[in-house]
Amino acid sequence: MSKVELSVELAGVKLKNPIVVASGTFGFGREYGQFYDLSELGGICAKGLTLHRREGNPPPRIAETPMGILNSVGLQNPGVDAFIAEELPELRKHDLAVIANISGNTPEEYGIMCEKLSAAGVDMIEVNISCPNVKAGGLAYGTKPELAAEVTKVAKEHATVPVMVKLSPNVTDITEIARAVADAGADALSLINTLRGMRIDVNTRRPILKMNTGGLSGPAVLPVAVRMVWEVASAVNLPILGMGGVAKGEDAAQLMLAGASAVAVGTACFADPYAPIKVRDELAEIACVQGHGKVSDLTGGVRPW
Amino acid sequence: MSKVELSVELAGVKLKNPIVVASGTFGFGREYGQFYDLSELGGICAKGLTLHRREGNPPPRIAETPMGILNSVGLQNPGVDAFIAEELPELRKHDLAVIANISGNTPEEYGIMCEKLSAAGVDMIEVNISCPNVKAGGLAYGTKPELAAEVTKVAKEHATVPVMVKLSPNVTDITEIARAVADAGADALSLINTLRGMRIDVNTRRPILKMNTGGLSGPAVLPVAVRMVWEVASAVNLPILGMGGVAKGEDAAQLMLAGASAVAVGTACFADPYAPIKVRDELAEIACVQGHGKVSDLTGGVRPW
Amino acid sequence: MPIEQRCTIVEMTPLNDSTWWMTLEVGKMVEEQGLRAGQFLHVACGEGNLLRRPISVACVLADEPENTAALIFEVKGEGTRWLAGRKVGEQVNVLGPLGNGFSVEERGRYLLVGGGIGVPPLLGYAEAYHKNAVAVLGFRSADRVILAERFRECCKEVYLCTDDGSLGRHGFVDAQVRDILEKEKDFTAILACGPKPMLKSVAKVAAEYGVPCQVSMEERMACGVGACLGCAIQMADGTMKHVCKDGPVFDAREVEWNV
Amino acid sequence: MPIEQRCTIVEMTPLNDSTWWMTLEVGKMVEEQGLRAGQFLHVACGEGNLLRRPISVACVLADEPENTAALIFEVKGEGTRWLAGRKVGEQVNVLGPLGNGFSVEERGRYLLVGGGIGVPPLLGYAEAYHKNAVAVLGFRSADRVILAERFRECCKEVYLCTDDGSLGRHGFVDAQVRDILEKEKDFTAILACGPKPMLKSVAKVAAEYGVPCQVSMEERMACGVGACLGCAIQMADGTMKHVCKDGPVFDAREVEWNV
Ligand SMILES: Cc1cc2nc3c(=O)[nH]c(=O)nc-3n(C[C@H](O)[C@H](O)[C@H](O)COP(=O)(O)OP(=O)(O)OC[C@H]3O[C@@H](n4cnc5c(N)ncnc54)[C@H](O)[C@@H]3O)c2cc1C
Ligand SMILES: Cc1cc2nc3c(=O)[nH]c(=O)nc-3n(C[C@H](O)[C@H](O)[C@H](O)COP(=O)(O)OP(=O)(O)OC[C@H]3O[C@@H](n4cnc5c(N)ncnc54)[C@H](O)[C@@H]3O)c2cc1C
Ligand SMILES: Cc1cc2nc3c(=O)[nH]c(=O)nc-3n(C[C@H](O)[C@H](O)[C@H](O)COP(=O)(O)O)c2cc1C
Ligand SMILES: Cc1cc2nc3c(=O)[nH]c(=O)nc-3n(C[C@H](O)[C@H](O)[C@H](O)COP(=O)(O)O)c2cc1C
Ligand code: FES
Ligand code: FES
């Protein structure tokens, strides 16, 4: 289509285009890989891994809200070893950056996973300190600067590939956490994870989710994501993978203008498996119409009043 | 329609039905009073007042987002004296609870306004410690437990009518603020105010709002409001005016089940001036179908898993 | 392999005051992907609803009308209300074929057990085993009954039950199933679809009489293709399986019923 | 007093590749509320868009067709795209009448100055002052021109300008306005509608020649009725006024142009 240069760099990792798929919304790529070649994507943040296999939370795990969804999947995954043995080789058949997403119960667990994944040759590790669906650890790491810094430090010590830390939006001041994580040596930041929310079935009087609350994602959260990416980009000097509610090229352009180097598409895939491809093409079109040679020219280009 | 008892009590103030209109979305009632008699409403939270007249923020002040809007009105208002002289008498011609909403630059300003408004005979005062659109004070009070407590204490000392404190959702732990405010003597809590967000015009590369960021409201925030009302209701023993994204009776029922004694309708009015009336009737219908004698039976009725 | 497709509506008929029969031209899904009854389509339900809605395929016609599938759905909330407002000639966007459908043998003898809106996915099986299958269909009351005539046309026997006794046998389907199995257990399997409590009781009766039982389960879905892990159900062995990818049909013995 | 009304679309005609003429049956708004050109309707634009869109009334017909109003709009984003997709016979939900419209005298002589999609709200005034008003209409280029014939039919004189010179005078409308005022200043007032930079230049020229000037302003709106204080514009005296309630038409001298 357009002649815009699509490739971008995220903490030294080259992405052939700035569209990545968000962790937990795209599995390990097998399912949506039935619809198109995964090489169309810039990268994949794989489903969140833990050291050991987890079955996740009891159902129901999904509730719809106005232009959003709540989920309480709770990190169901086969464990980091199974990922390395069974999923990574499959992903490597395609030409896209593979970003492993990890959650630990202790800083040590993060360290072990970083070692294993670095050795296995993923392109990047996304350290999830912000998943609101796990009782142990999880959210607490993402809301306390010292803990966030500690996890980051351990991850950096054990990883030989770039470490990206994923921030929670459920905080008073996201720049405080961003700064702590940056000071601890993170190579990149990704944001936002889900906002905590709840939906109640008024007939049964039960929360729809068995965990009572869950994480809100989808278009509803886009304005919060844009604000936080802008704040974080203004506060720290690290590349950002922006996400939260992206469903159109314009949404991705907003996040890039706010300061993101690349953009992840998550919930939008559920309505439309082709969403990441469409977002990529529309984004290229926007850059093209605006006369940019490269999409990366958008990054940080917002002109605040 | 149904034979459900609609009246509820909020910190000793009797509302003929649980539907209040949210501060800043309904002016002082004059405009929507052209569409129906304001006596249809349980109450009105009047447009946020400051000690002195304010012109508010420069335009643009409104941006649309997926199922939400951002605003940066910034407390444009005629000042507390003009409200008492010109607006309160008009509102008093109708049969509804009048709740004055106040914002101050200092705890002292809150005190002075509480005195004046108590003397003028409003039914309740809603202390806004959470408006994200004002530079001085505003948000800071709502995000720091000690400051929130201080403002509450001063307000209580100067008010002779019940004091309701309005909480910000832009915090890591809303129960912490709620507890501080409860301990400082608040008679009720209202939540949620707007979530901070941003939208960028990708063609001009300018934020749409002249203030760059603004407050997100409307259906998009409903799941966050339900979660926070539930958390706060579980944490403190104060009546709650729930709000955030209510557009249907079911939404109001969710907030009541989560713990709200009454519910405010805000942004929904912009699309449909009759929204508060429809929400009221649909809520009554839900209570009726479920076989309740009174809508107030819904309050706190959620059965968490 | 699932595909995304805009399908033209060629029939839209109310079956009762809240249930619709919608026939869609599904084209390649039948020819190339082998769409069959008991699988489901993930249907986009208008701009106001972010998520697609899973609706089972009641039956598939390879011809007359060519390459069409019937979806039968009840209006529950906003998505199905939107769907019910569609008209013949309009298009709906669907993902499919999704899920597995019941696993059957060519010469099998099946006992079909459906409850309410769980009845439709059995229709294709009733038709496939012409005059060979036995059906037990349960509904809340006489005015909720759907598809009874069609099942009568193609089943060996059809037993109707209603919760309030306003038509057929008074009570739940599991009592009827018990009576049938009491007389003869010689079924290849029970194929059951309906609300979870019903499936649980039917599974229990089937186990008692040693008859294999397949159940079609429901869970709230996001992606519909196995990517989000949203539609988990608990298995008896403590693991989770996913309705959209591993189901919706499961062996009743594998399911953990006590949650 | 504004009312909420579902209005049937009785005409839907494209004026160029992105601009539509939509005639609505507005019933009581004309009879009882005295709807007139220059006021606006706040139009609900489908489930996907939370806010209504303000669209000016181009002209009102009390008869033939009875009690209708013409809205002329350009497709800009999702709301107007939805609106452009409506068909004759469908209904749209509108709030109105809203705002003030231009303030005019029965025997006045008006210079109408419109730019782009700011041209339509002047149409009603051109028609009301049959063969008495002078119009200056500016467009980006020849293919963007709308309503030129209709203005020619009812105005004394019509001057067309295009930014690129592809039709009429090359350049902006304010140059043309200057030339006209240079020859004769005897206008009751200038009535202007268009983008803010255009209004600013026209206001400047008007002030130079001492001709009263009314301008129709735009600002992003939520409620449309004066309740949310969203649509503020800055006044020269430092106060804020609101486009929906105090406007959209303001005396050009009252507006703060340097923001
Ligand atoms: C595999 C499968 C096959 C199905 N087949 C049929 C069928 O053939 N006919 C039919 O009428 N119904 C069927 N259902 C149920 C149907 O999907 C729901 O009734 C429908 O999604 C409700 O949507 P709504 O917008 O009307 O309700 P809402 O309550 O507004 O929906 C809100 C959200 O909850 C989900 N939801 C609500 N109820 C259910 C439910 N029972 N199961 C799963 N998700 C639900 C919706 O999908 C949506 O995401 C099936 C469900 C599954 C899982
Ligand atoms: C008093 C008034 C009268 C108007 N009359 C007309 C008319 O007669 N014909 C016409 O074509 N247009 C008119 N406009 C402009 C029209 O309202 C916008 O073009 C329209 O709202 C854009 O909506 P959208 O969904 O297509 O664009 P989007 O950009 O998707 O809209 C997003 C949001 O921004 C608002 N918005 C975007 N552009 C404008 C704008 N220029 N002015 C105000 N709000 C905007 C929308 O209302 C919506 O809330 C008028 C505006 C005002 C204030
Ligand atoms: C079903 C689901 C599962 C998710 N699982 C993870 C996860 O395992 N790890 C993680 O860091 N984020 C997870 N997320 C968060 C997303 O990666 C993303 O941050 C969030 O959904 C916002 O983007 P979106 O609005 O585009 O979906 C999950 C989100 C969803 C909806
Ligand atoms: C335009 C606008 C102005 C507002 N002004 C105020 C205000 O002055 N004081 C206040 O406490 N809240 C104010 N709010 C917040 C609302 O009262 C309410 O808390 C919020 O909008 C969430 O409810 P909703 O989604 O129903 O609108 C304002 C909201 C909007 C949209
Ligand atoms: S719905 Fe996503 S895994 Fe089943
Ligand atoms: S749009 Fe609400 S005051 Fe004008």
Side-chain angles (χ1 to χ4, degrees):
Chain A
M1 45 159 321
S2 54
K3 287 188 203 73
V4 177
E5 172 60 51
L6 286 178
S7 71
V8 299
E9 232 192 64
L10 188 67
V13 177
K14 183 148 175 168
L15 307 177
K16 114 175 107 329
N17 68 61
I19 303 304
V20 172
V21 287
S23 179
T25 64
F26 212 84
F28 300 114
R30 290 180 187 263
E31 295 77 17
Y32 290 115
Q34 301 173 92
F35 292 87
Y36 44 85
D37 184 351
L38 299 180
S39 306
E40 299 273 329
L41 303 171
I44 177 175
C45 294
K47 171 68 197 161
L49 300 169
T50 48
L51 188 52
H52 305 293
R53 177 188 175 90
R54 280 176 58 103
E55 296 299 330
N57 292 324
R61 294 175 171 187
I62 300 284
E64 199 186 36
T65 69
M67 280 300 117
I69 71 166
L70 293 169
N71 90 81
S72 58
V73 169
L75 294 178
Q76 178 179 2
N77 79 93
V80 70
D81 293 332
F83 168 76
I84 291 169
E86 284 149 39
E87 303 296 343
L88 188 54
E90 278 301 312
L91 279 169
R92 280 299 179 216
K93 293 184 184 158
H94 308 276
D95 172 26
L96 81 172
V98 176
I99 304 172
N101 177 286
I102 60 169
S103 289
N105 288 314
T106 59
E108 291 67 44
E109 285 190 8
Y110 281 100
I112 302 171
M113 286 189 274
C114 281
E115 243 163 52
K116 292 185 182 230
L117 290 162
S118 294
V122 300
D123 295 299
M124 194 183 233
I125 296 171
E126 184 178 42
V127 173
N128 182 6
I129 55 166
S130 52
C131 180
N133 294 323
V134 197
K135 277 186 178 166
L139 193 56
Y141 287 134
T143 57
K144 301 241 160 62
E146 321 82 58
L147 295 179
E150 189 190 342
V151 170
T152 306
K153 219 148 109 203
V154 174
K156 274 300 290 175
E157 280 163 14
H158 292 77
T160 58
V161 298
V163 168
M164 175 163 71
V165 178
K166 185 160 179 181
L167 305 180
S168 166
N170 300 292
V171 294
T172 307
D173 180 2
I174 196 163
T175 64
E176 193 190 8
I177 315 280
R179 269 194 217 95
V181 164
D183 291 345
D187 301 297
L189 300 174
S190 61
L191 61 147
I192 58 175
N193 210 313
T194 54
L195 271 167
R196 229 147 64 71
M198 183 180 200
R199 181 171 169 186
I200 298 171
D201 180 328
V202 301
N203 295 316
T204 63
R205 298 186 159 209
R206 288 284 194 190
I208 288 185
L209 300 177
K210 195 66 168 269
M211 297 299 285
N212 295 320
T213 64
L216 181 65
S217 62
V221 309
L222 175 68
V224 176
V226 174
R227 185 261 293 183
M228 289 190 162
V229 166
W230 182 62
E231 286 181 337
V232 169
S234 315
V236 302
N237 196 9
L238 283 182
I240 294 173
L241 174 64
M243 69 190 84
V246 173
K248 299 182 295 195
E250 191 202 320
D251 307 338
Q254 281 195 64
L255 287 172
M256 292 188 72
L257 288 168
S261 298
V263 169
V265 177
T267 300
C269 299
F270 304 156
D272 178 6
Y274 296 93
I277 315 276
K278 289 182 189 161
V279 169
R280 180 197 65 187
D281 294 345
E282 290 166 7
L283 179 67
E285 189 61 31
I286 288 171
C288 179
V289 167
Q290 298 193 358
H292 298 296
K294 339 194 266 294
V295 240
S296 62
D297 285 346
L298 291 169
T299 297
V302 67
R303 298 185 302 139
W305 295 104
Chain B
M1 48 160 319
S2 54
K3 289 192 199 66
V4 177
E5 172 60 51
L6 287 178
S7 71
V8 298
E9 232 192 64
L10 187 68
V13 177
K14 185 149 175 171
L15 306 177
K16 107 174 111 337
N17 68 62
I19 303 304
V20 173
V21 286
S23 179
T25 64
F26 212 84
F28 300 114
R30 290 181 187 262
E31 294 78 16
Y32 290 115
Q34 301 172 92
F35 291 88
Y36 44 84
D37 184 350
L38 298 180
S39 306
E40 299 273 328
L41 303 171
I44 178 176
C45 295
K47 171 69 197 160
L49 299 170
T50 48
L51 189 52
H52 305 292
R53 177 188 175 89
R54 278 177 59 101
E55 296 299 330
N57 291 325
R61 295 177 171 183
I62 300 284
E64 200 185 36
T65 69
M67 280 298 118
I69 70 168
L70 294 167
N71 90 81
S72 58
V73 169
L75 294 177
Q76 177 178 5
N77 79 95
V80 69
D81 293 333
F83 168 76
I84 290 169
E86 284 148 39
E87 302 298 341
L88 188 55
E90 276 303 311
L91 278 169
R92 279 301 179 214
K93 293 182 183 158
H94 306 277
D95 172 27
L96 81 171
V98 176
I99 303 172
N101 177 286
I102 61 169
S103 289
N105 288 316
T106 60
E108 291 66 45
E109 285 190 7
Y110 281 99
I112 302 171
M113 286 189 273
C114 282
E115 241 163 51
K116 292 184 181 226
L117 289 162
S118 295
V122 300
D123 294 301
M124 197 181 228
I125 296 172
E126 185 178 42
V127 173
N128 182 7
I129 54 168
S130 51
C131 182
N133 295 321
V134 197
K135 277 184 179 166
L139 193 57
Y141 287 135
T143 57
K144 302 243 160 65
E146 322 80 58
L147 294 179
E150 190 191 340
V151 169
T152 306
K153 220 151 105 200
V154 175
K156 274 301 289 177
E157 279 163 14
H158 292 77
T160 58
V161 299
V163 168
M164 176 162 73
V165 177
K166 186 161 180 181
L167 305 181
S168 168
N170 300 292
V171 294
T172 307
D173 181 1
I174 196 165
T175 65
E176 193 191 6
I177 315 280
R179 270 195 217 94
V181 162
D183 291 346
D187 302 298
L189 300 174
S190 62
L191 61 148
I192 59 174
N193 210 315
T194 55
L195 271 167
R196 228 144 66 71
M198 184 178 200
R199 182 170 169 187
I200 298 172
D201 181 329
V202 301
N203 295 315
T204 63
R205 298 185 161 209
R206 289 282 195 190
I208 288 184
L209 300 178
K210 195 67 166 270
M211 298 299 287
N212 296 320
T213 65
L216 181 65
S217 62
V221 309
L222 176 68
V224 176
V226 174
R227 185 260 293 182
M228 289 189 163
V229 166
W230 182 62
E231 286 180 337
V232 169
S234 315
V236 302
N237 196 9
L238 284 182
I240 293 173
L241 174 63
M243 71 190 84
V246 173
K248 300 183 294 191
E250 191 201 320
D251 306 338
Q254 281 195 63
L255 287 172
M256 291 188 73
L257 289 167
S261 298
V263 168
V265 177
T267 300
C269 299
F270 304 155
D272 178 5
Y274 296 92
I277 314 278
K278 289 183 188 159
V279 169
R280 179 197 66 188
D281 293 346
E282 289 167 7
L283 179 67
E285 188 62 29
I286 287 171
C288 179
V289 167
Q290 297 193 359
H292 298 297
K294 339 195 266 292
V295 241
S296 60
D297 285 346
L298 290 169
T299 297
V302 67
R303 297 185 304 138
W305 296 102
Chain C
M1 218 181 71
I3 56 173
E4 189 199 22
Q5 197 174 307
R6 293 184 63 79
C7 299
T8 304
I9 303 172
V10 292
E11 184 182 346
M12 194 76 193
T13 313
L15 299 185
N16 63 33
D17 63 0
S18 65
T19 310
W20 292 83
W21 173 300
M22 180 168 86
T23 309
L24 292 181
E25 268 175 9
V26 287
K28 286 188 289 189
M29 283 194 203
V30 179
E31 293 169 63
E32 295 173 18
Q33 318 290 346
L35 180 73
R36 59 205 196 94
Q39 292 191 297
F40 70 95
L41 301 181
H42 215 26
V43 186
C45 290
E47 274 193 29
N49 296 296
L50 192 60
L51 294 177
R52 292 168 180 266
R53 293 345 190 212
I55 305 288
S56 298
V57 174
C59 57
V60 169
L61 295 172
D63 39 42
E64 288 182 77
E66 218 176 48
N67 294 332
T68 57
L71 306 188
I72 297 170
F73 64 91
E74 196 171 6
V75 174
K76 284 277 177 65
E78 299 187 17
T80 47
R81 185 167 322 125
W82 181 90
L83 211 55
R86 296 313 93 201
K87 303 205 164 38
V88 167
E90 290 183 32
Q91 295 197 314
V92 289
N93 180 308
V94 308
L95 280 187
L98 298 171
N100 53 6
F102 293 96
S103 148
V104 289
E105 300 161 17
E106 216 172 310
R107 283 166 208 290
R109 255 200 89 221
Y110 292 97
L111 177 57
L112 312 177
V113 186
I117 197 65
V119 167
L122 302 171
L123 181 60
Y125 295 88
E127 289 176 346
Y129 294 93
H130 195 71
K131 291 293 176 197
N132 192 12
V134 174
V136 180
L137 311 179
F139 300 94
R140 268 205 317 280
S141 54
D143 59 325
R144 310 304 311 152
V145 173
I146 53 169
L147 302 176
E149 271 322 300
R150 284 189 87 115
F151 273 88
R152 282 208 191 93
E153 278 163 26
C154 57
C155 287
K156 193 172 156 210
E157 288 164 274
V158 174
Y159 299 89
L160 285 185
C161 312
T162 51
D163 300 357
D164 66 355
S166 52
L167 193 79
R169 179 175 175 144
H170 188 164
F172 297 137
V173 290
D174 54 305
Q176 182 67 58
V177 170
R178 181 179 295 277
D179 288 357
I180 293 171
L181 296 186
E182 190 57 48
K183 279 194 235 142
E184 84 165 290
K185 289 184 284 194
D186 189 23
F187 288 99
T188 317
I190 295 174
L191 312 183
C193 186
K196 196 163 172 198
M198 177 201 106
L199 296 180
K200 182 177 173 178
S201 342
V202 171
K204 189 159 162 266
V205 176
E208 276 178 45
Y209 290 87
V211 180
C213 180
Q214 299 174 32
V215 290
S216 180
M217 306 286 287
E218 286 191 4
E219 193 43 82
R220 287 174 186 260
M221 291 188 179
C223 70
V225 300
C228 74
L229 308 185
C231 62
I233 60 167
Q234 221 141 338
M235 296 288 111
D237 67 2
T239 63
M240 292 284 182
K241 284 203 169 166
H242 296 93
V243 170
C244 71
K245 202 178 179 178
D246 309 314
V249 177
F250 295 89
D251 183 327
R253 285 166 310 180
E254 286 181 7
V255 174
E256 174 57 65
W257 294 107
N258 300 313
V259 280
Chain D
M1 219 181 70
I3 57 173
E4 188 199 23
Q5 198 176 305
R6 292 184 64 79
C7 299
T8 304
I9 303 172
V10 294
E11 184 181 346
M12 194 78 194
T13 313
L15 300 185
N16 63 32
D17 65 359
S18 63
T19 310
W20 292 82
W21 173 301
M22 180 168 85
T23 310
L24 292 180
E25 269 175 8
V26 287
K28 285 189 290 189
M29 282 194 203
V30 179
E31 293 169 63
E32 294 172 17
Q33 318 289 345
L35 180 73
R36 61 207 194 94
Q39 292 191 296
F40 70 94
L41 300 181
H42 215 25
V43 186
C45 290
E47 273 192 31
N49 297 296
L50 193 59
L51 294 177
R52 292 168 180 266
R53 293 344 190 211
I55 306 288
S56 299
V57 174
C59 58
V60 168
L61 294 173
D63 39 42
E64 288 180 77
E66 217 177 49
N67 295 329
T68 56
L71 307 188
I72 296 171
F73 63 92
E74 198 171 6
V75 174
K76 286 277 178 66
E78 298 187 18
T80 46
R81 185 168 321 126
W82 182 90
L83 211 56
R86 295 315 94 201
K87 301 204 167 40
V88 167
E90 290 183 31
Q91 295 196 315
V92 290
N93 180 310
V94 308
L95 279 186
L98 297 171
N100 53 6
F102 293 97
S103 149
V104 289
E105 297 161 17
E106 217 172 308
R107 282 168 209 290
R109 254 198 91 222
Y110 293 97
L111 176 57
L112 312 176
V113 185
I117 197 64
V119 167
L122 302 171
L123 181 61
Y125 296 88
E127 289 176 346
Y129 294 92
H130 194 71
K131 290 294 175 196
N132 191 13
V134 175
V136 181
L137 311 179
F139 301 94
R140 269 206 315 280
S141 54
D143 59 324
R144 309 304 311 152
V145 172
I146 54 170
L147 301 175
E149 272 319 301
R150 283 190 85 117
F151 274 87
R152 282 209 190 91
E153 278 162 26
C154 56
C155 287
K156 192 171 158 213
E157 289 163 90
V158 174
Y159 299 89
L160 285 185
C161 314
T162 51
D163 300 358
D164 66 354
S166 52
L167 194 77
R169 179 177 175 142
H170 188 166
F172 298 137
V173 291
D174 54 306
Q176 182 65 59
V177 170
R178 181 181 294 277
D179 287 357
I180 293 171
L181 296 186
E182 190 59 48
K183 280 193 235 145
E184 86 164 290
K185 289 185 286 193
D186 189 24
F187 289 99
T188 316
I190 294 175
L191 312 183
C193 186
K196 198 165 169 194
M198 177 201 108
L199 296 179
K200 184 177 171 177
S201 343
V202 171
K204 190 159 162 268
V205 176
E208 277 178 41
Y209 290 86
V211 180
C213 179
Q214 299 175 33
V215 289
S216 181
M217 306 286 289
E218 285 192 4
E219 193 43 81
R220 286 175 186 259
M221 292 188 178
C223 71
V225 301
C228 75
L229 308 185
C231 61
I233 59 167
Q234 222 142 336
M235 295 288 112
D237 67 0
T239 64
M240 292 284 184
K241 284 203 170 168
H242 295 93
V243 170
C244 71
K245 202 179 179 177
D246 309 315
V249 178
F250 295 89
D251 183 328
R253 287 167 307 180
E254 287 182 7
V255 175
E256 173 58 65
W257 293 107
N258 301 313
V259 280

